[in-house]
């Protein structure tokens, strides 16, 4: 799967692209949209850089009424990290006093491949905005997320083609008492995704995130191991929606789910982009559908045989 569409909605608000300096566009009400601020990742000398665009945004929009920001591209995002972006956002916290949602790195493949996006430590955003309710990040290269305490955050989404174990441990070790939704794209080791189920620690044990109701552990090359760990994880008993999609899930992982704790309390189980046999799909449907679980199963992916006896299966989003 190739990421081809920018976010159309964020934090329940339609995304509006902040126009260029020469554009004559009527701006919407400051709190009615999620403002997307984006500069070309492959820029020409005359292009407005992200920093200049952000400063113009703060002057032209009623900044203290802005609720959501979507950060798109920045100059040479495949070489320059998001550190300057984070610094700029932190520095504007006395002006963006109503900000409750931020997404950093809304780039599609045409802008910059997900595993080429250079990120940074994004936790200063949480310190600078104590009322932040939603944080999204795309890109795992150089991403840092040391354990942090934040009492307002309700949703955390980290989309990568490879999420480092240290980041996974940092997220799982954070104190986020209001967190209701957590989504981690774990990825593949080819792009830095070296985490294991053990790195999820207190998350799976149910001792972290007491408000958690929606859990996504997605896009993993070791999805079978993730599924097996989830099957016996105490946290699942209070989860309403479970998302194990986009990864390399085979009959082995699905069997572990069926043989583990009951999943009939779930309202939704997403297993799309899978490598399941038809009999296993039928078993899952028979076990869960009668209980009202919305089971998401699309057509199975096809494994590739290299002719030498090796079979290759791929996550949905890698490079």
């Amino acid at each position: 799967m190739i990421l081809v569409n920018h976010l159309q909605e964020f934090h329940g608000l339609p995304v509006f692209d902040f126009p260029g300096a020469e554009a004559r566009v009527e701006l919407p009400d400051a709190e009615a949209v999620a403002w997307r601020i984006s500069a070309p990742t492959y820029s020409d000398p005359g292009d407005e850089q992200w920093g200049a665009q952000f400063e113009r945004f703060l002057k032209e929009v009623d900044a203290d009424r802005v609720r959501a920001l979507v950060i798109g591209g920045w100059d040479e995002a495949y070489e320059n990290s998001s550190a300057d972006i984070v610094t700029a956002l932190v520095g504007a916290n006395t002006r963006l006093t109503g900000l409750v949602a931020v997404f950093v790195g809304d780039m599609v493949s045409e802008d910059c491949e997900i595993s080429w996006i250079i990120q940074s430590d994004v936790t200063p955003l949480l310190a600078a905005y104590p009322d932040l309710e939603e944080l999204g990040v795309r890109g795992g290269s150089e991403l840092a997320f040391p354990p942090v305490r934040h009492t307002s955050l309700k949703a955390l989404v980290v989309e990568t083609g490879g999420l480092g174990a240290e980041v996974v441990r940092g997220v799982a070790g954070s104190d986020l008492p209001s967190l209701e939704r957590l989504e981690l794209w774990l990825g593949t080791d080819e792009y830095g995704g070296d985490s294991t189920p053990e790195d999820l620690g207190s998350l799976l044990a149910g001792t972290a995130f007491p408000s958690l109701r929606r859990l996504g552990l997605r896009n993993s090359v070791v999805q079978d191991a993730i599924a097996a760990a989830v099957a016996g994880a105490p946290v699942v008993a209070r989860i309403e929606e479970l998302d194990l999609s986009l990864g390399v899930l085979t009959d082995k992982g699905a069997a572990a789910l069926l043989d583990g704790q009951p999943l009939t309390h779930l309202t939704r189980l997403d297993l799309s982009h899978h490598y399941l046999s038809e009999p296993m799909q039928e078993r899952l449907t028979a076990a869960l559908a009668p209980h009202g679980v919305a089971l998401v199963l699309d057509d199975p992916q096809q494994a590739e045989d290299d002719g030498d006896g090796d079979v290759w299966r791929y996550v949905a989003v890698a490079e």
Side-chain angles (χ1 to χ4, degrees), residues 121-135:
D121 185 351
V122 295
T123 57
L125 294 172
L126 296 174
Y129 294 93
D131 295 328
L132 201 69
E133 296 177 2
E134 183 167 1
L135 176 61

Side-chain angles (χ1 to χ4, degrees), residues 44-57:
D44 294 324
D47 289 334
E48 183 180 36
Q49 300 301 301
W50 190 91
Q53 187 177 110
F54 183 58
E55 281 302 316
R56 186 168 55 82
F57 167 80

Side-chain angles (χ1 to χ4, degrees), residues 5-30:
N5 296 315
H6 295 118
L7 292 176
Q8 300 300 305
E9 181 180 285
F10 180 58
H11 200 66
L13 297 170
V15 175
F16 178 83
D17 285 282
F18 182 62
E22 304 302 321
R24 296 294 179 262
V25 178
E26 183 177 353
L27 299 180
D29 184 77

Side-chain angles (χ1 to χ4, degrees), residues 177-224:
S178 298
L179 194 70
E180 300 173 359
R181 175 192 175 204
L182 175 63
E183 183 177 319
L184 302 177
W185 293 22
L186 301 170
T188 170
D189 52 357
E190 293 182 26
Y191 294 100
D194 58 353
S195 69
T196 67
E198 288 72 24
D199 295 311
L200 294 164
S202 57
L203 165 62
L204 295 180
T207 56
F209 316 144
S211 300
L212 193 67
R213 296 297 179 266
R214 299 166 62 191
L215 176 61
L217 300 173
R218 312 178 70 195
N219 200 48
S220 176
V221 73
V222 293
Q223 202 75 60
D224 283 348

Side-chain angles (χ1 to χ4, degrees), residues 95-123:
R95 301 168 74 178
L96 294 166
T97 54
L99 191 66
V100 293
V102 178
F103 190 100
V104 182
D106 179 32
M107 287 173 263
V108 298
S109 298
E110 185 176 299
D111 304 317
C112 185
E113 298 287 358
I114 189 171
S115 294
W116 297 3
I117 299 172
I118 309 297
Q119 284 288 355
S120 61
D121 185 351
V122 295
T123 57

Side-chain angles (χ1 to χ4, degrees), residues 34-292:
W35 296 86
R36 184 172 187 269
I37 304 173
S38 184
T41 52
Y42 299 88
S43 60
D44 294 324
D47 289 334
E48 183 180 36
Q49 300 301 301
W50 190 91
Q53 187 177 110
F54 183 58
E55 281 302 316
R56 186 168 55 82
F57 167 80
L58 293 174
K59 294 175 182 177
E60 296 182 10
V61 175
D62 192 356
D64 62 354
R65 295 179 61 243
V66 171
R67 294 184 53 77
L69 284 179
V70 174
I71 309 305
W74 55 87
D75 183 42
E76 298 182 341
Y78 48 89
E79 291 184 354
N80 299 321
S81 81
S82 63
D84 288 347
I85 310 295
V86 171
T87 298
L89 292 173
V90 168
N93 66 340
T94 58
R95 301 168 74 178
L96 294 166
T97 54
L99 191 66
V100 293
V102 178
F103 190 100
V104 182
D106 179 32
M107 287 173 263
V108 298
S109 298
E110 185 176 299
D111 304 317
C112 185
E113 298 287 358
I114 189 171
S115 294
W116 297 3
I117 299 172
I118 309 297
Q119 284 288 355
S120 61
D121 185 351
V122 295
T123 57
L125 294 172
L126 296 174
Y129 294 93
D131 295 328
L132 201 69
E133 296 177 2
E134 183 167 1
L135 176 61
V137 182
R138 181 174 296 159
S141 182
E142 298 187 22
L143 178 65
F145 199 104
V148 64
R149 173 172 169 79
H150 193 279
T151 59
S152 300
L153 196 68
K154 295 180 179 180
L156 175 60
V157 176
V158 184
E159 302 175 352
T160 79
L163 189 57
E166 186 173 355
V167 175
V168 174
R169 289 193 294 268
V171 171
S174 291
D175 184 3
L176 306 172
S178 298
L179 194 70
E180 300 173 359
R181 175 192 175 204
L182 175 63
E183 183 177 319
L184 302 177
W185 293 22
L186 301 170
T188 170
D189 52 357
E190 293 182 26
Y191 294 100
D194 58 353
S195 69
T196 67
E198 288 72 24
D199 295 311
L200 294 164
S202 57
L203 165 62
L204 295 180
T207 56
F209 316 144
S211 300
L212 193 67
R213 296 297 179 266
R214 299 166 62 191
L215 176 61
L217 300 173
R218 312 178 70 195
N219 200 48
S220 176
V221 73
V222 293
Q223 202 75 60
D224 283 348
I226 296 296
V230 165
V235 70
V236 173
R238 55 182 169 83
I239 294 296
E240 297 172 0
E241 297 184 14
L242 180 61
D243 190 340
L244 301 178
S245 66
L246 304 184
V248 182
L249 183 70
T250 72
D251 283 6
K252 181 179 179 181
L257 285 175
L258 290 174
D259 293 341
Q261 63 189 300
L263 300 176
T264 52
H265 67 287
L266 295 175
T267 59
R268 189 173 189 270
L269 175 61
D270 191 341
L271 303 179
S272 55
H273 186 279
H274 60 82
Y275 292 85
L276 304 179
S277 67
E278 185 172 344
M280 180 55 72
Q281 294 181 64
E282 293 173 352
R283 282 187 60 192
L284 286 163
T285 301
L288 299 175
H291 297 276

Side-chain angles (χ1 to χ4, degrees), residues 274-275 299-305 311-314:
H274 60 82
Y275 292 85
D299 291 336
Q301 302 295 309
Q302 299 301 313
E304 296 182 9
D305 190 334
V311 176
W312 298 91
R313 301 180 178 91
Y314 302 96

